[in-house]
C-alpha cells in the first residue's frame, strides 16, 4: 500500500452486555480502495459499520479517518467528514419521491442549481431516471436498494460503506448493481459487506474475512477461496446452503 | 427526636401514596406498553365506588377493599375491549384516546354526581408521637401499599398466571404459538391494573376526598412516576416513587408543599435527561 | 393548477376576507369573540408545526403560551407601553424552548419521555405561579396574584403611543393579519430547505443524520420557532382579555390544544386552524346552551377521532376531494 491509509481501526471492540460483537479489529483501508468484507452471520460486520458511522460508540479501540479520530463523534458530523453508509435494510424517506430523497441528500453541500444537476446525474447513474417521481415506498425492493445507493452517492463521500447492496435482488439486478458500484468506485474508497461470492468476484480485488468479531484473513479473492481456515468457518458451511441472507 | 420520627413517617407516607397511585398505571405500562391517561379517572371512580357504596350501607372495608377494585376492574375490561385493544403498539394514539376518555369520564361524573366534593372520615383516629400527632390511617396506607407490592411480586413471580402474563409480554407471538390466549391475557392485565387503580382511589378517598376532577392531580404524578421508573413495573414504581416521594416530602418540610411539588417535577425532568428510559432502563432491568 | 397552488390561492383569498371582509359584515360582539378564536388558532398553528411537521410531541405548548402571556402582562404593567412587552412575550418562550431543546434533544430524549418532560415543565409553571398569591410576589409593580391571576392588564397600543389603545373590536384586524402572517410564514418555512430537512427527520431521523444533518440542532430550532409563535398567541390572548391566570398552564388546556390538531389532522396547517375554531365554537356553544357537559362531548369526540379518523378531518376531506376529481376526470375523458 502506498501513502497513509484513509481508514484505520486499532483494537476496535464493541460489547453488548456479555456479547462481544467486534473483538479488537485492526483494519486498514487505503485511499480509493474497494474492499469486500465477508464472514458468516453474526461475525460483527454490521456492528463494525455502525461503529464507523457513529451509530454505536465502541467500547474500546480507535478509529482513524484521514488520521483523525472518529470515536465519540455524532453520526452527522462523521457524515460531514465524508463517510456515508447504505444500511442493511434500506433506510429511505418512504413518503418522499425518488427525486426528493436524492435532493435531500444532495442539498446539504450544494446550492440549488448544483443540487438539481447532481440529482439528475445520480438518478440516471442508479437507473431510476424514469421513476424519479415515484414515491419511495412504492418501489420494488431492488430499486429501493439502488435509491439508497443513490442517497449515499449524493452525499459525495470519500468513503462509502455498503451493507449487503444486492440483498434480495435478481441475477440481472445483481449484475447491474456490480456495474454501478464499479462505476462509482473509480474515484472513491468503498467497503462492501456481501455474501454473494459471484458478486464479490465481479467487483473486488481484496477481501477481508470477519469471524467472531475479529479479522480472520485478508487477501485476494482467489487466495481467500483457497484458504482452508476460511472455508471451515464460512464457505464450508454455506456450500450446500446456496446464497443465504441475514436480516440481523 | 419526635420530629425526626414524624418526618420519617411523612416521607414513608409520601412514597407509599405515590407508589399506590402509580402501581396500576405501571402494571399496564410495564406489561403492555400502554399508557392509560384515564388512569386518574379510574382512581376517581374507585373513590366514588367506595364512598357511594359505603353511604348506601355497605361495610366500610368491603366497600373500600372489594367493591371499589371490582367495579373499576369491570370498567377497565370494558375500556380495554372498546378502545385500548384497537390501538396496541401505538403508544401515542393510546395516550390521546385515553386522554379523551379521561375528559369524557370527568364530564360524566360531573353530570351524574355534581361538581361538589364527597368524603368520609378516615378511621383509626390519631396516634401520639411525643409532642406530635399522626393519623392512624397514615400507617394503614403505608402498610397496605407494602402488602400490595409484595402480593404483586409473588403473583407475577410464582403463580402460573404470572408466568403466562410475563411470557406474553415478552413475546406475544410465541405465547400464542404455545396456546396462550393473548387477547385474554391483555384484557386480564388491564383489568388488574384498573382494579389496583380503583383500590388506590378508594384508599386515598378518606384523606383526599373525591370530586370529578380529582383524577387530574393524580394522573400527572402517576404518569411521571411510571415513566421515571421505566418499563419494569414493580421495581420501577418502587424506585421512582421512593426517589420522587422522598425528595418532594423533604423539600416540603424545608419550605412548603408547593415547592415540594415543583421539586418532584424538576427531579423527574433531570432524571429523564440522565436516564432517558427511566430508572429501570439502566438498573434492575431483570427485576419485576 | 396543482393542488398545492390551488390551496395557496384559496388560503390567500380567505385571509383577505378574514382581514377586510369579516369586520365589515360582522357585529362588534362577534368580532370580539372571533379575535379570541384567532389568538387560539395561532397557538394551534404553533403545535401543528412542532408536532405535525417536526414530529415533536410537545405536551408543554401551553408553557410557551402561558409564559408569553405572563411576560406580556408583567412587562406592560411595568412599562406602560406595549411594543417591547410584545417582543419579550415572544422572546422569553423562545429562550425557554432553546434551553429545553438543548436539554432534551441533545440528551436523545424522545417520544413519550419528551411528552413527560414538557408536561412537567408546564406544571412547574402552574404550581409556581399558582403559589404567588401574596403581596410579596411582585415583579416591579406587577403582582402575580397566584391562582386569581393578573387582572387589568393594559391593552396593546399603537407602537410609540401608549394612549392609542388597540382593544376590543379594534384588536381584530391586527390579530387576523398576524394569523395570516404566521400561516404563510410557516408554509414558506416548510417549503424551504430547513422545512424539508425537518420533515425528513420526522420520517427517518437516523437516515437524516447519516446524510450529515444535525437533527438535534434542527429540532431545537423548530421547537423554538413553535415556542415563539405560541408566545405571540399568549400575548394576544392576554391583551384580548386584559387578564391571565395559571389555568393557561393546566393539563386541561394542554389537552385542548392537542385536540384541535387531532380534529384538523396531523400534518396540515389549515387543519390546525379549522380544528381549533371548530372545537372552540363547539365548546362555547355547549357552555351557553347547556345541552350536555362540555367534557363529555369533547372527550367523546377526542376518542372517536383517534379510533375512527386517525388522520383528522382535513386530510380525510382532501382525499375525498382527490377521489371525486379523479372520477370526474375519468368521466370527462
Amino acid at each position: 500500500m502506498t501513502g497513509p491509509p484513509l481508514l484505520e481501526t486499532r483494537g476496535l471492540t464493541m460489547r453488548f452486555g456479555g456479547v462481544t460483537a467486534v473483538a479488537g479489529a485492526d483494519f486498514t483501508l487505503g485511499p480509493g480502495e474497494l474492499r469486500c468484507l465477508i464472514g458468516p452471520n453474526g461475525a460483527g460486520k454490521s456492528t463494525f459499520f455502525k461503529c464507523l458511522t457513529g451509530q454505536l460508540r465502541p467500547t474500546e479501540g480507535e478509529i482513524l479517518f484521514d488520521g483523525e479520530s472518529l470515536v465519540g463523534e455524532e453520526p452527522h458530523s462523521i457524515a460531514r467528514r465524508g463517510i456515508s453508509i447504505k444500511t442493511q435494510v434500506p433506510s429511505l424517506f418512504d413518503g418522499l419521491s425518488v427525486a426528493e430523497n436524492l435532493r435531500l441528500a444532495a442539498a446539504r453541500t450544494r446550492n440549488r442549481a448544483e443540487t438539481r444537476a447532481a440529482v439528475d446525474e445520480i438518478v440516471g447513474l442508479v437507473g431510476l431516471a424514469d421513476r424519479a417521481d415515484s414515491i419511495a415506498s412504492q418501489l420494488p425492493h431492488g430499486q429501493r436498494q439502488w435509491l439508497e445507493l443513490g442517497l449515499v452517492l449524493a452525499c459525495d463521500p470519500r468513503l462509502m460503506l455498503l451493507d449487503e447492496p444486492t440483498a434480495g435482488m435478481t441475477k440481472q439486478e445483481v449484475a447491474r448493481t456490480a456495474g454501478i458500484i464499479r462505476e462509482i468506485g473509480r474515484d472513491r474508497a468503498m467497503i462492501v459487506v456481501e455474501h454473494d461470492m459471484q458478486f464479490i468476484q465481479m467487483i473486488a480485488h481484496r477481501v477481508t474475512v470477519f469471524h467472531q468479531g475479529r479479522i480472520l484473513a485478508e487477501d485476494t479473492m482467489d487466495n481467500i477461496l483457497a484458504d482452508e481456515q476460511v472455508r471451515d468457518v464460512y464457505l464450508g458451511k454455506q456450500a450446500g446452503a446456496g446464497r443465504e441472507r441475514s436480516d440481523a | 427526636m419526635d420530629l425526626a420520627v414524624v418526618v420519617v413517617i411523612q416521607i414513608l407516607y409520601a412514597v407509599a401514596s405515590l407508589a399506590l397511585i402509580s402501581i396500576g398505571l405501571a402494571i399496564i405500562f410495564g406489561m403492555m406498553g400502554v399508557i392509560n391517561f384515564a388512569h386518574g379517572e379510574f382512581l376517581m371512580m374507585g373513590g366514588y365506588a367506595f364512598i357511594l357504596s359505603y353511604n348506601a350501607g355497605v361495610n366500610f372495608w368491603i366497600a373500600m377493599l372489594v367493591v371499589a377494585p371490582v367495579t373499576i376492574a369491570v370498567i377497565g375490561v370494558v375500556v380495554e375491549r372498546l378502545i385500548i385493544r384497537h390501538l396496541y403498539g401505538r403508544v401515542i394514539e393510546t395516550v390521546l384516546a385515553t386522554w379523551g376518555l379521561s375528559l369524557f369520564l370527568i364530564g360524566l361524573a360531573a353530570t351524574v354526581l355534581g361538581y361538589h366534593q364527597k368524603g368520609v372520615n378516615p378511621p383509626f383516629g390519631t396516634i401520639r408521637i411525643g409532642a406530635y400527632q399522626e393519623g392512624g390511617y397514615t400507617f394503614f396506607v403505608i402498610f397496605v401499599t407494602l402488602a400490595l407490592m409484595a402480593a404483586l411480586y409473588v403473583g407475577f413471580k410464582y403463580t402460573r398466571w404470572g408466568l403466562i402474563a410475563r411470557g406474553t409480554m415478552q413475546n406475544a407471538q410465541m405465547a400464542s404459538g404455545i396456546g396462550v390466549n393473548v387477547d385474554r391475557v391483555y384484557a386480564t392485565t388491564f383489568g388488574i391494573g384498573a382494579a389496583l387503580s380503583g383500590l388506590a382511589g378508594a384508599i386515598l378517598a378518606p384523606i383526599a376526598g373525591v370530586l370529578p376532577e380529582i383524577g387530574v392531580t393524580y394522573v400527572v404524578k402517576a404518569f411521571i412516576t411510571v415513566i421515571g421508573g421505566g418499563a419494569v413495573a414493580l421495581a420501577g414504581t418502587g424506585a421512582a416513587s421512593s426517589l420522587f416521594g422522598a425528595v418532594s416530602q423533604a423539600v416540603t418540610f424545608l419550605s412548603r408543599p408547593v415547592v415540594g411539588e415543583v421539586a418532584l417535577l424538576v427531579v423527574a425532568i433531570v432524571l429523564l435527561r440522565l436516564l432517558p428510559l427511566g430508572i429501570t432502563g439502566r438498573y434492575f432491568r431483570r427485576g419485576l | 393548477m396543482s393542488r398545492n397552488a390551488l390551496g395557496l390561492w384559496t388560503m390567500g383569498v380567505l385571509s383577505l376576507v378574514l382581514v377586510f371582509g369579516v369586520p365589515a359584515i360582522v357585529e362588534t360582539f362577534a368580532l370580539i369573540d372571533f379575535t379570541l378564536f384567532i389568538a387560539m388558532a395561532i397557538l394551534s398553528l404553533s403545535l401543528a408545526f412542532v408536532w405535525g411537521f417536526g414530529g415533536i410531541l410537545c405536551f408543554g405548548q401551553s408553557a410557551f403560551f402561558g409564559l408569553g402571556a405572563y411576560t406580556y402582562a408583567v412587562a406592560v404593567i411595568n412599562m406602560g407601553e406595549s411594543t417591547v412587552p410584545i417582543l419579550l412575550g415572544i422572546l422569553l418562550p423562545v429562550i425557554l424552548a432553546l434551553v429545553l431543546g438543548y436539554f432534551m434533544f441533545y440528551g436523545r430524549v424522545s417520544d413519550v419521555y419528551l411528552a413527560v418532560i414538557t408536561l412537567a415543565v408546564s406544571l412547574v409553571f402552574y404550581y409556581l405561579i399558582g403559589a404567588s398569591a401574596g403581596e410579596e410576589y411582585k415583579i416591579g409593580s406587577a403582582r402575580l396574584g397566584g391562582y386569581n391571576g393578573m387582572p387589568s392588564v393594559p391593552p396593546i397600543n399603537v407602537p410609540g403611543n401608549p394612549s392609542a389603545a388597540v382593544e376590543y373590536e379594534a384588536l381584530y384586524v391586527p390579530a387576523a393579519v398576524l394569523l395570516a402572517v404566521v400561516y404563510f410564514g410557516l408554509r414558506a418555512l416548510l417549503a424551504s430547505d430547513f422545512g424539508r430537512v425537518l420533515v425528513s427527520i420526522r420520517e427517518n431521523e437516523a437516515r437524516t443524520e447519516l446524510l450529515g444533518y444535525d437533527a438535534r440542532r434542527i429540532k431545537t430550532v423548530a421547537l423554538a420557532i413553535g415556542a415563539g409563535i405560541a408566545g405571540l398567541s399568549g400575548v394576544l390572548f392576554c391583551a384580548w382579555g386584559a387578564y391571565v391566570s395559571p389555568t393557561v398552564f393546566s393539563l386541561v388546556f394542554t389537552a385542548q390544544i392537542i385536540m384541535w390538531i387531532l380534529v384538523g389532522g396531523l400534518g396540515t396547517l389549515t387543519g390546525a386552524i379549522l380544528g381549533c375554531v371548530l372545537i372552540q365554537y363547539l365548546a362555547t356553544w355547549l357552555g351557553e346552551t347547556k345541552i350536555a357537559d362540555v367534557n363529555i362531548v369533547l372527550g367523546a369526540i377526542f376518542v372517536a377521532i383517534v379510533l375512527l379518523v386517525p388522520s383528522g378531518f382535513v386530510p380525510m376531506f382532501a382525499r375525498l376531494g382527490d377521489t371525486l376529481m379523479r372520477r370526474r376526470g375519468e368521466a370527462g375523458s
Side-chain angles (χ1 to χ4, degrees), chain C residues 7-84:
Chain C
L8 202 60
W9 275 102
T10 315
M11 291 310 286
V13 172
L14 278 180
S15 32
L16 288 178
V17 170
L18 194 70
V19 174
F20 298 108
V22 170
I25 50 172
V26 168
E27 288 173 57
T28 306
F29 262 141
L31 214 52
I32 291 174
D33 277 353
F34 282 9
T35 310
L36 177 63
F37 289 178
I38 283 174
M40 292 297 149
I42 293 175
L43 175 60
S44 191
L45 279 179
S46 77
L47 187 63
F49 172 70
V50 168
W51 182 22
F53 293 91
I56 303 162
L57 181 53
C58 180
F59 277 11
Q61 206 64 13
S62 56
F64 303 130
F65 174 83
L67 184 61
Y70 266 97
T71 304
Y72 171 79
V74 168
V76 78
I77 287 172
N78 280 300
M79 296 181 183
E81 205 274 349
S82 71
T83 314
V84 174

Side-chain angles (χ1 to χ4, degrees), chain C residues 87-313:
Chain C
L87 295 178
L88 286 175
I90 298 169
L91 186 65
L92 253 62
V94 168
I95 292 171
L96 174 67
L98 289 176
V99 173
L100 259 181
Y102 181 77
F103 187 82
M104 297 189 300
F105 300 132
Y106 285 72
R108 299 280 172 202
V109 177
S110 61
D111 276 359
V112 90
Y113 302 92
L114 200 139
V116 176
I117 290 182
T118 48
L119 183 61
V121 168
S122 196
L123 289 171
V124 166
F125 278 106
Y126 182 72
Y127 287 126
L128 283 183
I129 295 191
S132 66
E135 274 287 348
E136 69 273 28
Y137 295 102
K138 291 206 303 199
I139 300 177
S141 54
R143 273 189 58 192
L144 293 176
Y147 288 108
N148 292 328
M150 301 178 66
S152 315
V153 178
I156 290 173
N157 57 259
V158 175
N161 184 0
S163 57
V166 182
E167 52 184 337
Y168 311 122
E169 74 275 14
L171 190 58
Y172 174 83
V173 171
V177 169
L178 282 174
L179 176 63
V181 167
V182 168
Y183 176 81
F184 288 106
L186 284 177
R187 275 190 80 138
L189 187 65
L190 286 167
S192 72
D193 283 344
F194 175 86
R196 289 214 188 94
V197 177
L198 183 65
V199 171
S200 75
I201 291 172
R202 181 194 70 187
E203 293 289 313
N204 190 340
E205 180 162 347
R207 177 36 94 194
T208 312
E209 295 210 303
L210 289 173
L211 293 180
Y213 293 104
D214 188 351
R216 306 168 305 176
R217 191 178 58 83
I218 290 164
K219 287 206 284 190
T220 304
V221 172
L223 188 71
I225 292 171
I229 297 170
L232 171 69
S233 164
V235 169
L236 279 175
F237 170 78
C238 182
W240 173 84
Y243 173 71
V244 60
S245 79
T247 50
V248 294
F249 295 114
S250 71
L251 194 58
V252 178
F253 188 61
T254 301
Q256 263 191 41
I257 310 171
I258 287 172
M259 194 170 163
W260 299 337
I261 311 283
L262 275 183
V263 169
L266 201 56
T268 101
L269 294 177
T270 321
I273 299 176
L274 285 181
C276 168
V277 172
L278 217 67
I279 295 294
Q280 291 266 313
Y281 184 80
L282 182 67
T284 315
W285 179 73
L286 286 171
E288 280 165 5
T289 56
K290 309 244 183 277
I291 291 176
D293 187 283
V294 178
N295 280 328
I296 291 188
V297 177
L298 293 189
I301 294 176
F302 209 145
V303 176
I305 284 175
V306 176
L307 287 177
L308 306 175
V309 200
S311 63
F313 283 110

Side-chain angles (χ1 to χ4, degrees), chain B residues 62-75:
Chain B
I62 291 180
M64 176 188 285
L65 303 176
V66 179
V67 175
V70 170
T71 313
I72 308 311
V74 171
I75 295 175

Side-chain angles (χ1 to χ4, degrees), chain A:
Chain A
M1 193 181 297
T2 54
L6 179 68
L7 178 79
E8 189 179 1
T9 73
R10 291 185 200 140
L12 190 69
T13 302
M14 185 73 220
R15 275 190 284 271
F16 301 101
V19 183
T20 306
V22 178
D26 296 312
F27 180 88
T28 311
L29 186 80
E33 189 182 347
L34 194 166
R35 179 81 59 85
C36 275
L37 222 57
I38 64 171
N41 295 334
K45 304 176 303 272
S46 292
T47 308
F48 180 66
F49 271 13
K50 283 188 177 159
C51 290
L52 296 184
T53 53
Q55 289 165 287
L56 289 173
R57 195 191 175 120
T59 323
E60 280 165 39
E62 186 57 273
I63 304 170
L64 295 172
F65 183 62
D66 230 5
E68 289 179 57
S69 174
L70 296 183
V71 173
E73 292 233 8
E74 290 287 325
H76 71 89
S77 57
I78 292 180
R80 286 178 184 196
R81 285 166 178 265
I83 300 182
S84 203
I85 181 171
K86 193 206 88 60
T87 50
Q88 195 172 21
V89 179
S91 172
L92 302 167
F93 303 104
D94 280 332
L96 303 183
S97 74
V98 168
E100 285 169 331
N101 266 279
L102 292 173
R103 191 186 307 146
L104 203 62
R108 187 176 58 75
T109 52
R110 299 172 175 88
N111 67 30
R112 253 162 218 280
E114 289 167 357
T115 301
R116 206 172 302 129
V119 170
D120 286 346
E121 188 201 327
I122 291 166
V123 88
L125 190 60
V126 297
L128 293 171
D130 53 336
R131 309 231 38 183
D133 295 323
S134 305
I135 300 297
S137 63
Q138 292 165 354
L139 294 180
H141 185 77
Q143 298 191 348
R144 285 174 67 83
Q145 296 273 39
W146 287 335
L147 176 53
E148 204 187 16
L149 212 53
L151 278 189
V152 170
L153 199 54
C155 294
D156 198 16
R158 286 193 289 156
L159 171 61
M160 292 174 78
L161 309 175
L162 307 180
D163 200 344
E164 302 199 15
T166 68
M169 285 188 176
T170 63
K171 254 201 153 48
Q172 290 91 331
E173 286 174 330
V174 170
R176 189 160 175 191
T177 308
I180 297 173
I181 287 177
R182 271 199 304 264
E183 174 72 30
I184 59 186
R186 253 187 271 166
D187 49 0
R188 57 191 99 225
M190 217 185 288
I191 308 175
V192 184
V193 166
E194 257 304 335
H195 286 296
D196 186 335
M197 292 302 155
Q198 283 178 318
F199 175 72
I200 293 170
Q201 275 175 320
M202 283 186 240
I203 59 168
H205 315 282
R206 283 178 77 79
V207 174
T208 299
V209 184
F210 251 62
H211 181 54
Q212 294 181 342
R214 273 175 235 279
I215 290 172
L216 183 74
E218 198 166 286
D219 213 327
T220 63
M221 188 63 186
D222 294 335
N223 289 346
I224 289 289
L225 285 172
D227 190 317
E228 284 284 319
Q229 205 187 357
V230 172
R231 203 177 294 172
D232 281 349
V233 303
Y234 182 54
L235 302 171
K237 285 178 200 161
Q238 299 245 317
R243 279 180 54 188
E244 221 175 282
R245 292 292 178 205
S246 86
D247 292 351

Side-chain angles (χ1 to χ4, degrees), chain B residues 24 27-34 42 73 75-90 156 161 164-176 180-195:
Chain B
I27 297 260
I28 291 171
F29 175 63
M31 295 280 154
M32 306 163 73
V34 164
F42 283 21
I75 295 175
V77 170
V78 172
V79 166
E80 196 272 344
R81 178 112 336 166
L82 291 180
I83 298 175
I84 311 289
R85 175 158 300 186
H86 309 286
L87 300 171
Y88 277 127
R90 288 146 64 191
F156 275 111
W161 185 86
I164 292 174
R166 283 187 289 146
T168 308
M169 309 316 160
Q170 295 274 317
N171 187 339
Q173 250 183 335
M174 188 59 108
S176 88
V180 172
N181 183 341
V182 172
D183 278 357
R184 197 155 74 207
V185 174
Y186 279 137
T188 313
T189 308
F190 199 85
I192 289 175

